Amino acid sequence: MRRRLFKPTALLLALLPLTATAQIRYAAPIDETAGTLWSNSDSKLVCMLIHDIPQFGHVDFVTYAGRDIQTSMQVVPKLTVSSDAEMRFISAKPEWQSGGREYLLGRIKLYAGFNPYVGPTIAWKVLSELGNGKQIFMPYTNSLLGMGQLVVPSLSPLGFKGPYNRYINCQHQLLRVNFNDVRMLPLVFRFQSTELTGRSLDRLKQQIDYIKEDKAVNKIVIKAYSYDMRRRDENIRMARDRGEALMKFYTEAGFKDEQIEIVPFNALTLPDDSQRGPLTEEEPSARNALVTLSRDSSLINRDLEAKTPDVGADSAAD
């Protein structure tokens, strides 16, 4: 859709400096194509709800896997933010409906060279208003378009509900861990066995679910130990068998043998047979394993581990 000037609403006018003389509006067309501008990108690591704004760029709502599920919003204009400014988020009835009040949902500061970023508080306010059939205006100034001109991209409620429902459903199947949670995984075996305890088996499966999705993981190192057998040679054999039992989990999940390393068991770390005390199940440290993951740095998505800052939360209460 071509860009066009539009008559400012009362709230927009009230928020503008007196020098503002024109507005450049970017919005979805009011026809059947509007519904195609909302789309999704789903995985077990990230859920995205995307709205294309013709001629302007796009807006992404993003939720990453992890212990705390947080949603953020990023505005991605084709024409970069050229100077420090402020962006406002305003809810109003869509232009094909008349009347109704407008509401300021919040505001954020803009910095030259960086895309506008919004934290969970305002992001969910915007999503809620879109779900109620409201249009969202996001006015800001851009010096590249002329001093005093206001750029007004907007989000349309047309075609929103289907992709939004898929976005919410995607969040329910997100993994509750990220790489930092599983990069070093301590495990415990049952006494004198190659079988993991129930809790360790659950943690191992959780780690495998994660690394199936993170294509940057390229190396798995397994260190398995045994001090719960009576003889030295039995401990060495048990440690080796435990390492191979763990390796089988990863190969069955699709990892190649060359991606997995079992660190040779060091017999010198074992006490002499004559020094062995009574064997007991109460010493899980004697039957541990440690799995360490490495990644290809060129494939790492750092956003997956970043904490989501609640940018704009203070302004949402204005």
Side-chain angles (χ1 to χ4, degrees), residues 248-264:
K248 186 177 180 182
F249 279 100
Y250 295 100
T251 55
E252 289 180 348
F255 291 90
K256 300 177 181 179
D257 289 353
E258 55 266 30
Q259 292 179 291
I260 306 170
E261 178 186 1
I262 299 178
V263 175

Side-chain angles (χ1 to χ4, degrees), residues 18 29 37 39 43 81 107-108 131 145 148 162-163 180 189-190 202 205 228 232 234-235 238 251 277 297 299 302 310:
L18 296 177
L37 298 177
S39 61
S43 76
V81 174
R107 67 191 78 192
I108 59 171
L145 297 178
N180 291 326
F189 290 92
R190 296 191 184 279
D202 289 342
K205 290 179 178 178
D228 46 337
R232 180 192 299 268
E234 291 176 336
N235 275 313
M238 177 62 72
T251 55
S297 59
L299 299 178
R302 298 293 181 186
D310 201 1

Side-chain angles (χ1 to χ4, degrees), residues 58-126:
H58 57 93
V59 172
D60 302 335
F61 296 90
V62 184
T63 305
Y64 291 108
R67 297 177 185 177
D68 299 318
I69 301 300
Q70 297 285 353
T71 293
S72 62
M73 172 183 172
Q74 186 173 28
V75 182
V76 186
K78 293 180 179 179
L79 189 61
T80 185
V81 174
S82 58
S83 58
D84 293 356
E86 183 179 77
M87 176 177 280
R88 299 171 179 83
F89 299 88
I90 298 168
S91 172
K93 281 192 174 182
E95 57 188 317
W96 57 88
Q97 297 180 9
S98 59
R101 293 184 58 188
E102 296 175 342
Y103 297 92
L104 177 64
L105 304 179
R107 67 191 78 192
I108 59 171
K109 293 181 178 180
L110 304 185
Y111 300 95
F114 292 90
N115 291 334
Y117 175 90
V118 178
T121 297
I122 294 182
W124 279 112
K125 283 179 174 288
V126 169

Side-chain angles (χ1 to χ4, degrees), residues 64-70 174-182 184 203 206 304:
Y64 291 108
R67 297 177 185 177
D68 299 318
I69 301 300
Q70 297 285 353
L174 282 174
L175 299 178
R176 290 303 188 264
V177 294
N178 60 29
F179 181 74
N180 291 326
D181 297 321
V182 299
M184 295 185 67
R203 295 183 68 190
Q206 190 177 55
L304 292 172

Side-chain angles (χ1 to χ4, degrees), residues 153-174:
S154 65
L155 302 177
S156 171
L158 293 175
F160 170 76
K161 289 192 174 181
Y164 174 71
N165 288 336
R166 181 174 174 180
Y167 180 59
I168 296 300
N169 291 335
C170 175
Q171 293 180 29
H172 292 316
Q173 54 85 48
L174 282 174

